[in-house]
Amino acid sequence: MSNLKLGVEVVGAHNLLSKDGQGSSSPFVELHFDGQKFRTTIKERDLDPAWNETFYFNISDPHDLSSLTLEALVYNNNKSSHSKSSLGMVKINGSSFVPYSDAVVLHYPLEKAGIFSRARGELGLKVFVTDDPSVRVSNSYPATDSSSYISSLSSPSDERTQHVPDFISEPVANDKKGSRRTFHHLPNAKHQQQEPYSSFADSHQPTRFGSDQMKSTSQGPKIVRMYSGSSSQQPVEYSLKETSPVLGGGRIVGGRVIRGGRTSGTYDLVEPMQFLFVRVVKAQDLPSKDITGSLDPYVEVRVGNYKGVTQHFEKTQSPEWNTVFAFAKERMQSSVLDVVVKDKDMLKDDFVGIVRVDLHEVPTRVPPDSPLAPEWYRLENKKGEKKKGELMFAVWIGTQADEAFPDAYHTDVASPINMSVPSTQIRGKVYHSPRLWYVRVNVIEAQDLILSEKNRFPDVYVKARIGNQVLRTKPIRSQTMNAMWNEELMFVAAEPFEEHLILSVEDRVASNKDEALGMVIIPLNTVERRADDRFVRSRWYNLQEPGSVEIEEPKKKDKFSSRVHLRVSLDGGYHVLDESTHHSSDLRPTIKQLWKPSIGILELGILNVDGLNPSKTRDGRGTTDTYCVAKYGHKWVRTRTVIDSLNPKFNEQYTWEVYDPATVLTVGVFDNGQLEEKGSNGKRDMRIGKVRIRVSTLETGRVYTHTYPLLVLHPSGVKKMGELHLAIRFSCTSMVNMMFQYSKPLLPKMHYVKPLSVAQQDILRHQAVNIVAARLSRAEPPLRKEVVEYMSDADAHLWSMRRSKANFFRLMSVFSGLFSVGKWFGDVCMWKNPIATSLVHVLFLMLVCFPELILPTVFLYMCLIGIWNYRYRPRYPPHMNTRISHADSTHPDELDEEFDTFPTSRSSELVRMRYDRLRSLAGRIQTVVGDVATQGERIQALLSWRDPRATVLFILFCLVAAIVLYETPFQVLAVLSGFYVMRHPRFRHKLPSAPLNFFRRLPAKTDSML
C-alpha cells in the first residue's frame, strides 16, 4: 500500500458573503478528495475567518493523481434551521500538487458552486503531497466549536498530534452504505521537518521508440512540394519543401498517415534504422601481462573499420564495464565482430584475448521482448586457441525502440579505427533547465552605522550580489548615522540555490574609493516564497565584519551593532523570461501550484540533414560532425553526434507537453567542435542553422513532414548550410481547453499586477540566459554556452541596421491595407470610375439611412473574407524568410556592423563613419517625431489663446456648429458631409481647403526650441 498522502492546510478566508441577515456568516470548509470528505471547525460570525487546520487524505492510486481533483467548499452554518448555504468553492487539479518543500499558501478566488448561488472573497490553502510514514490520515472534527476549544487546538505544542475525542463525520456519498469515516485534526504546528516526496517531482526520461512500427521497411521515393514562405517571395533554394517519407507508422501523404497494414504505434515519426548492439558486461580470470603480475584491462569492440573502446581499470583481473556500443547496420562493411581484451600500457597496449562473432548468427530483438541475456565466452589467442580468461557480453540487432539505444555509444559514426574521440561528447541526452526564481530585495534603511572617520557625514549605499549579478542602491548622504533608501533590487536565481544573497553597506570615502561598513549573508533557501503580491514581513539584519563568511548571524558580545532593514522574497508568480519574448517556448509561472493542466502533446521526429556544407577539414577533405538540439519549455534534447558525414541521419523522436499554443519550438543544428585536438575556432560548436515552429500554426492531428533550409547570416551575406528534415505532430487533448486558452492572459498574473519595466526585463533575461547556460554546460555531455545563447536568441536586443530596416518594412506591410483603402477612396472621390463611385454613393446612402446595419455589415464582411481565405490557408509551418529579414539586400558594411562585438573592435575611422550614418538616420527620425508633436501642439493651441484671433475664430465656429448640429438631423449632416468629400473633380480646387489652411497657421512650441 502506498504511503503517499495529500496534505491540505486550510489557512483562512477573506471578504466572504454575509448570509445570516445581520451582515455576517458562520463559515466552515468541507474538503472532498478521492472519495474522502473532511470538515473544518465553524467560525461564528466571522467574514474573515482563520482556521490554520491541516488535513491528510489517502491517495489510493499515485499514478492517477493528476486526474484527481481537490474540492474545497465554503459553507455558512445556519443554527436555526440546521442547514448550510454555499459561500463559494475552489477546485484544484491534481496536476498542480507539489511536494511539501515547494508548497506555499495560495489565496484562491471563490467560485460559484451552482448556477443560482453567489460567491465572493478568497480562500487561503496550502496543498502538498508527502510520503512521510509518520503522518496519519486525518479524523473528523465536530460541526461546531467554542473559542476555548479552538485556542486549545491552535496553542503551540511540541507534540506532532494532539489528542482530540473521536467524532462521527458525515458519510461520504460514494462510499459503501453504512460506512463512516472518523478523523482527528492535526494542527498546523510541526510539519517543517517533512521530507519532500522525491518520486513526485517531474522526471522526463529519454524518449523510447515503439516496436511494431520500427521493423525494417523499404523506403519509397519522396514526393516533394515547394513553398516559398508568405507573400514575400524568396529564392527557390531557400524555400520549404513538403515530403512524403515512409516512417515507422506508414507513408505520410498530405499530412495523413497511410499505414498500409501497419499497426498504429506511439512513436511513428521516424524512419526505422537497424543497429548492432554489443553490451560488454565483465570479465573474469584474466591472465596477467606485466612483470609485476598486474593487469589494466579494457575491451575494444571492432566491426570492420570502426571500433569502440571501454574504460580501462587498473590492477584487476575481474573488471566490470557494463557498456553498450551501437553500430548502424547500413554502414557496416564486415561480417565478423571482434571483441578484443587488451592491457593498458605506457608505450604499447598488450593483447590479452579475443572473441570473434559471426554477424550472420546474431539474433534480432524487437521490444517489448526481454533484454538479451549476456553469456560467458572464453578468450582466444591470436592463433585461435582457447586460453585463460572469460568475457561476458551480449550481441543483438535492434532498432531505436531498444531501451539500450539512448545510453549506447554510437561507435560506427564516432571513431574510425585510427581516431581517439571522447565518447561522452557524442552521446544524445535530455536536459532540463533549472527552475528560475525572481529574487526581490527591498532595501529599506540602515541604522547605527559605524564609520572609520568620525568627523564627516556618511555617503552610503548598499551593494547586493548573487553570483555574478551585482546591483547597487543610490548613494545617500545622511546627516546622521542612519540612511534611508527604500529601493527594490531584482535578481534571478536557480534551484538548487548554490549562491547566497550577499549585501554589503559601503561608504564612498572618495571618488574612486569605497569602504565597506558591514555585510550580511542570506541563504536563498531560507527566504520566504510567495505566489502573488501578498505582503512579506521585513526583518532587521545585524551587519557582520567585512570579509566574514558566516552565514548565520554571529553571537555578538557587544550589545550595540549596525543593522540593515530588508524585505526579501522569492517571487514565484512570475514567468522568468529566459528567451526572446516573441519566441518563448514556455509561459508558466515559476511556482508549480499555479500550473494548469496541459492542452496537448507535441511530437518531433528529427529525421536527417541533407547537403551540409563542410565546416572543417579532416584527412584532406571537408567534413562535418553534426548534432541537433531541440528546445521547448524546460526540456532540451540533444541528438547523438554523427561524425564525418555531410548527410547525417538521426531518426530520433521526442515528445513535449504543451501548456499554451502561443509558444515556439526551436530546433538548431550544430557542428561539434570538441572532437578535434585543437580546433581553429577555439573549440566552439559552430552554428549551422535553426528552425522555429509556432505551435498555434499547426493543425491538430496533422503530420508535417518538410525539409527546412538551414540559413545562417555571415558577414559576407546569407548562406544556406543544408536542409533539415523534420516530422512534427501536435495532438490536442481537449479542444475546449485549448480554445479557452486564447482568452487567458499570455503571461502569469503577477506580470500585470506588479509589472517589471522593460529595462528590468532585458537585464533579468540576460542574467537568466547566463544561469541556464552555466548549468547546462556542467552536464555530461555539456550543452555549451554558445549553443544555449543561439537557441535562446540572446543577442536579439543588439542594434542592427538590417533588423531596423526589416522592422520598418514590416510596419509598412501592416499599414499597406490602410494605404490601399485610402488610395481606393481617393480614386472614388476623383471619379476615376464613375460606375464604382455611383455604387459607393448608393451604399453610403443606405448606411446613413440605416445606421444599425453598419457594424453587422462590417463583421459579416470579415466573416465572409475569412471563410473565403480558408481555401488558401497555409499548408505548412512558417519558416525563415530572407526577404522579410532583409538578409538578401543588405550592404556588406551593415552586416559587418551587425557582427561587430560589443564594445566595438573596429578601427576608429570605421566607427566614426558608422556613427555619422546613424546620426543621419536619427536626424530623419527626429524630424518625423517633431512633426507629429507639432500637429498635437496645434490642436492644443485651438483653445489655449496662444493665438487670440485663431481662438476667437474657433470659438465662433464651435458656437455655430453647435446650433446647426442641434437643429439639423444627423442623417442629413452625414449625407451632406459624405457627398461633399466625394464631390466631382470639377467642383474641387487645387489649393488647400480653408480648414486645413487655418490648422497650419496655428502656433506650436517649435518657437521655444533652442
Side-chain angles (χ1 to χ4, degrees):
M1 181 177 179
S2 174
N3 286 326
L4 190 62
K5 298 177 182 65
L6 177 71
V8 181
E9 179 184 340
V10 183
V11 179
H14 172 66
N15 194 25
L16 297 178
L17 282 171
S18 60
K19 286 284 188 177
D20 61 358
Q22 300 178 5
S24 185
S25 294
S26 300
F28 65 93
V29 180
E30 280 190 3
L31 302 173
H32 296 235
F33 178 77
D34 199 12
Q36 305 162 66
K37 181 170 71 173
F38 299 149
R39 176 188 293 184
T40 67
T41 57
I42 298 173
K43 300 297 181 181
E44 297 291 344
R45 301 179 59 81
D46 192 352
L47 296 182
D48 297 293
W51 286 284
N52 292 317
E53 302 175 10
T54 305
F55 304 92
Y56 289 92
F57 296 84
N58 265 329
I59 300 178
S60 56
D61 185 5
H63 301 287
D64 196 37
L65 181 61
S66 59
S67 62
L68 299 178
T69 302
L70 170 67
E71 294 184 359
L73 299 98
V74 185
Y75 291 107
N76 169 58
N77 181 52
N78 194 334
K79 286 185 177 181
S80 58
S81 60
H82 300 285
S83 62
K84 59 183 180 181
S85 55
S86 175
L87 298 176
M89 67 176 298
V90 171
K91 287 187 177 181
I92 305 175
N93 190 269
S95 60
S96 63
F97 297 159
V98 296
Y100 182 81
S101 59
D102 292 334
V104 297
V105 177
L106 293 180
H107 294 265
Y108 298 91
L110 291 175
E111 302 174 355
K112 294 193 297 184
I115 299 177
F116 303 104
S117 63
R118 297 173 58 201
R120 187 184 70 186
E122 299 175 336
L123 178 64
L125 299 175
K126 183 177 181 180
V127 185
F128 55 90
V129 291
T130 179
D131 60 349
D132 191 343
S134 63
V135 174
R136 295 182 298 172
V137 177
S138 302
N139 295 320
S140 68
Y141 247 139
T144 61
D145 72 329
S146 64
S147 59
S148 61
Y149 185 70
I150 297 173
S151 62
S152 66
L153 289 176
S154 58
S155 60
S157 172
D158 292 336
E159 299 177 359
R160 190 149 185 100
T161 61
Q162 298 184 10
H163 177 69
V164 180
D166 291 346
F167 294 91
I168 304 298
S169 67
E170 300 178 13
V172 181
N174 57 354
D175 283 348
K176 294 181 180 179
K177 184 177 181 180
S179 65
R180 292 177 179 269
R181 297 184 183 271
T182 61
F183 58 92
H184 284 94
H185 164 56
L186 293 178
N188 179 29
K190 306 295 178 185
H191 299 304
Q192 299 300 327
Q193 286 91 20
Q194 291 185 11
E195 294 295 330
Y197 178 56
S198 58
S199 63
F200 184 79
D202 294 339
S203 59
H204 298 274
Q205 299 297 329
T207 304
R208 299 295 190 265
F209 294 81
S211 56
D212 297 335
Q213 70 270 27
M214 290 301 173
K215 295 179 180 177
S216 177
T217 57
S218 60
Q219 180 175 343
K222 296 181 180 180
I223 303 173
V224 178
R225 298 182 181 88
M226 309 279 289
Y227 301 100
S228 60
S230 82
S231 59
S232 300
Q233 298 296 323
Q234 59 178 347
V236 176
E237 63 269 19
Y238 297 160
S239 63
L240 193 68
K241 303 174 186 176
E242 183 179 10
T243 63
S244 295
V246 178
L247 303 182
R251 179 180 289 276
I252 310 299
V253 178
R256 295 178 300 171
V257 182
I258 310 300
R259 302 198 178 278
R262 298 189 180 204
T263 58
S264 177
T266 304
Y267 299 101
D268 53 357
L269 298 184
V270 291
E271 300 174 0
M273 294 179 64
Q274 288 193 328
F275 293 88
L276 173 68
F277 292 97
V278 181
R279 180 186 296 276
V280 181
V281 183
K282 57 184 177 179
Q284 67 179 9
D285 198 24
L286 296 178
S288 60
K289 289 293 181 178
D290 294 342
I291 300 176
T292 59
S294 63
L295 183 71
D296 303 332
Y298 69 92
V299 176
E300 183 180 282
V301 181
R302 294 187 298 197
V303 179
N305 199 35
Y306 298 98
K307 73 174 181 179
V309 179
T310 67
Q311 179 186 5
H312 79 277
F313 293 95
E314 295 183 356
K315 299 180 180 180
T316 178
Q317 294 179 324
S318 300
E320 293 188 11
W321 294 281
N322 200 22
T323 303
V324 182
F325 300 97
F327 301 84
K329 191 176 179 182
E330 63 179 11
R331 299 189 65 171
M332 292 190 304
Q333 300 177 352
S334 175
S335 60
V336 177
L337 167 69
D338 292 336
V339 184
V340 185
V341 181
K342 292 186 176 182
D343 177 30
K344 187 74 173 179
D345 279 341
M346 293 292 294
L347 299 178
K348 183 180 179 180
D349 298 344
D350 295 330
F351 176 85
V352 178
I354 187 174
V355 177
R356 288 187 171 89
V357 179
D358 187 356
L359 295 182
H360 295 98
E361 304 297 329
V362 173
T364 300
R365 175 181 176 265
V366 179
D369 293 349
S370 299
L372 194 67
E375 301 179 7
W376 286 104
Y377 295 86
R378 184 168 293 278
L379 298 178
E380 300 177 355
N381 58 14
K382 295 182 179 180
K383 298 180 180 180
E385 301 173 349
K386 301 288 184 181
K387 293 296 182 180
K388 181 182 179 181
E390 291 181 312
L391 179 66
M392 176 183 283
F393 65 91
V395 184
W396 72 95
I397 293 177
T399 64
Q400 304 102 315
D402 204 294
E403 66 271 7
F405 179 80
D407 295 326
Y409 293 90
H410 294 265
T411 54
D412 61 310
V413 295
S415 51
I417 201 164
N418 58 351
M419 289 183 62
S420 176
V421 176
S423 300
T424 56
Q425 297 291 342
I426 62 174
R427 300 173 68 179
K429 284 295 179 182
V430 176
Y431 307 84
H432 282 277
S433 297
R435 185 157 61 143
L436 302 177
W437 292 79
Y438 281 146
V439 183
R440 188 183 298 271
V441 182
N442 186 9
V443 183
I444 303 174
E445 60 179 326
Q447 289 184 356
D448 305 328
L449 298 176
I450 302 175
L451 304 181
S452 59
E453 300 178 11
K454 306 294 183 180
N455 55 353
R456 67 177 186 85
F457 295 116
D459 186 11
V460 294
Y461 64 91
V462 175
K463 181 171 69 175
R465 176 166 58 91
I466 299 180
N468 295 326
Q469 307 172 64
V470 179
L471 295 177
R472 294 176 174 84
T473 64
K474 295 179 180 178
I476 298 294
R477 180 173 292 276
S478 175
Q479 302 295 325
T480 64
M481 295 298 106
N482 304 329
M484 174 75 72
W485 294 279
N486 199 20
E487 291 187 31
E488 280 193 348
L489 309 176
M490 295 289 290
F491 298 89
V492 180
E495 285 187 325
F497 299 120
E498 299 177 351
E499 305 286 346
H500 299 310
L501 171 62
I502 303 175
L503 296 100
S504 61
V505 180
E506 300 190 3
D507 180 20
R508 184 154 295 172
V509 180
S511 58
N512 295 322
K513 182 180 179 182
D514 295 333
E515 182 183 72
L517 304 180
M519 63 182 300
V520 175
I521 303 177
I522 305 175
L524 291 179
N525 52 14
T526 64
V527 174
E528 181 178 350
R529 307 183 184 192
R530 63 175 182 174
D532 48 23
D533 59 339
R534 300 283 170 175
F535 181 77
V536 177
R537 296 183 62 182
S538 60
R539 180 182 169 188
W540 287 96
Y541 294 86
N542 291 333
L543 294 180
Q544 305 174 21
E545 291 292 333
S548 174
V549 296
E550 296 187 41
I551 296 177
E552 300 295 334
E553 294 185 2
K555 295 182 180 179
K556 297 282 186 178
K557 294 182 179 180
D558 301 333
K559 296 182 180 180
F560 177 81
S561 66
S562 302
R563 59 180 186 167
V564 62
H565 194 192
L566 304 173
R567 182 180 291 112
V568 187
S569 64
L570 291 169
D571 288 356
Y574 292 94
H575 167 68
V576 180
L577 297 169
D578 59 344
E579 305 168 279
S580 174
T581 310
H582 304 292
H583 310 136
S584 292
S585 61
D586 187 20
L587 301 171
R588 294 173 294 171
T590 297
I591 194 162
K592 293 183 179 179
Q593 290 168 274
L594 299 179
W595 291 4
K596 302 298 182 182
S598 62
I599 61 172
I601 299 294
L602 181 64
E603 299 169 274
L604 171 68
I606 303 176
L607 303 180
N608 60 286
V609 182
D610 291 328
L612 283 175
N613 291 331
S615 59
K616 64 183 71 171
T617 57
R618 183 179 296 143
D619 297 333
R621 57 186 177 83
T623 186
T624 302
D625 307 324
T626 314
Y627 69 91
C628 299
V629 175
K631 180 191 185 304
Y632 185 81
H634 292 172
K635 181 179 177 181
W636 298 64
V637 298
R638 169 178 173 160
T639 66
R640 69 188 188 279
T641 300
V642 179
I643 302 298
D644 197 17
S645 176
L646 299 179
N647 298 282
K649 291 185 177 182
F650 300 99
N651 287 302
E652 299 184 21
Q653 184 170 345
Y654 302 93
T655 305
W656 289 268
E657 288 185 331
V658 178
Y659 293 88
D660 195 303
T663 47
V664 177
L665 167 70
T666 305
V667 184
V669 184
F670 300 89
D671 173 58
N672 197 329
Q674 313 309 308
L675 306 183
E676 305 293 331
E677 292 184 2
K678 189 174 182 180
S680 59
N681 57 355
K683 299 194 72 173
R684 291 172 58 91
D685 290 354
M686 191 188 79
R687 58 184 69 171
I688 297 177
K690 67 180 173 183
V691 174
R692 299 191 196 101
I693 299 166
R694 186 169 291 273
V695 176
S696 59
T697 62
L698 303 179
E699 297 180 17
T700 304
R702 179 186 175 97
V703 180
Y704 293 85
T705 52
H706 295 83
T707 58
Y708 297 82
L710 296 173
L711 305 178
V712 175
L713 197 61
H714 290 280
S716 59
V718 66
K719 186 177 182 181
K720 181 180 178 182
M721 305 295 291
E723 293 184 344
L724 175 62
H725 196 188
L726 300 177
I728 306 166
R729 177 171 57 204
F730 172 58
S731 304
C732 177
T733 56
S734 174
M735 183 62 69
V736 176
N737 289 343
M738 185 172 68
M739 293 298 186
F740 184 65
Q741 196 72 25
Y742 281 86
S743 65
K744 296 289 191 68
L746 189 65
L747 293 171
K749 178 181 177 181
M750 282 294 294
H751 286 270
Y752 307 98
V753 175
K754 203 166 185 178
L756 303 174
S757 66
V758 176
Q760 272 185 318
Q761 291 182 16
D762 289 339
I763 295 173
L764 294 174
R765 182 186 297 114
H766 176 70
Q767 299 296 343
V769 172
N770 288 340
I771 291 174
V772 172
R775 290 290 180 91
L776 296 183
S777 64
R778 293 162 53 187
E780 190 64 40
L783 205 59
R784 296 180 58 83
K785 182 179 180 180
E786 60 267 20
V787 174
V788 175
E789 290 180 347
Y790 181 58
M791 296 288 289
S792 303
D793 285 324
D795 57 349
H797 64 287
L798 297 179
W799 159 258
S800 167
M801 180 70 77
R802 176 189 61 84
R803 289 199 190 103
S804 301
K805 289 182 178 179
N807 290 334
F808 174 76
F809 285 105
R810 285 174 58 204
L811 187 63
M812 292 298 101
S813 176
V814 169
F815 289 107
S816 61
L818 295 177
F819 297 153
S820 300
V821 172
K823 182 180 179 182
W824 169 82
F825 187 71
D827 293 342
V828 168
C829 294
M830 299 304 295
W831 289 74
K832 290 189 175 181
N833 189 341
I835 298 177
T837 303
S838 302
L839 292 176
V840 171
H841 279 72
V842 174
L843 178 61
F844 177 71
L845 279 175
M846 291 177 57
L847 294 178
V848 170
C849 296
F850 304 98
E852 65 273 9
L853 294 180
I854 295 178
L855 290 179
T857 302
V858 171
F859 285 107
L860 179 61
Y861 174 76
M862 290 191 293
C863 176
L864 295 177
I865 291 296
I867 295 175
W868 177 262
N869 289 339
Y870 179 77
R871 299 173 54 194
Y872 310 103
R873 68 189 187 278
R875 301 301 180 97
Y876 55 90
H879 62 288
M880 305 292 183
N881 191 299
T882 56
R883 291 287 171 85
I884 294 178
S885 305
H886 262 255
D888 54 352
S889 59
T890 305
H891 193 274
D893 182 68
E894 295 176 356
L895 289 176
D896 182 71
E897 182 183 15
E898 183 173 345
F899 283 92
D900 191 8
T901 58
F902 188 85
T904 182
S905 58
R906 300 298 186 261
S907 63
S908 58
E909 292 80 7
L910 186 59
V911 173
R912 185 180 297 109
M913 184 271 293
R914 291 172 178 172
Y915 175 66
D916 293 338
R917 181 178 61 193
L918 187 60
R919 289 177 62 191
S920 175
L921 176 63
R924 292 196 292 269
I925 298 175
Q926 170 186 292
T927 303
V928 173
V929 173
D931 290 342
V932 174
T934 298
Q935 310 311 318
E937 290 168 353
R938 285 173 176 171
I939 295 175
Q940 293 177 344
L942 288 172
L943 296 173
S944 66
W945 294 91
R946 172 57 62 184
D947 185 343
R949 288 163 293 277
T951 303
V952 169
L953 290 174
F954 183 71
I955 291 175
L956 293 176
F957 169 77
C958 291
L959 179 62
V960 173
I963 297 173
V964 173
L965 292 175
Y966 179 77
E967 295 293 338
T968 308
F970 174 76
Q971 286 85 351
V972 175
L973 290 174
V975 170
L976 293 177
S977 301
F979 281 9
Y980 174 78
V981 171
M982 295 184 290
R983 65 191 183 278
H984 196 273
R986 71 175 57 181
F987 301 110
R988 296 178 182 271
H989 300 282
K990 294 184 178 180
L991 298 180
S993 62
L996 186 58
N997 293 331
F998 173 79
F999 183 77
R1000 288 176 176 174
R1001 290 177 179 273
L1002 291 173
K1005 295 181 180 179
T1006 53
D1007 303 332
S1008 303
M1009 295 284 292
L1010 290 176

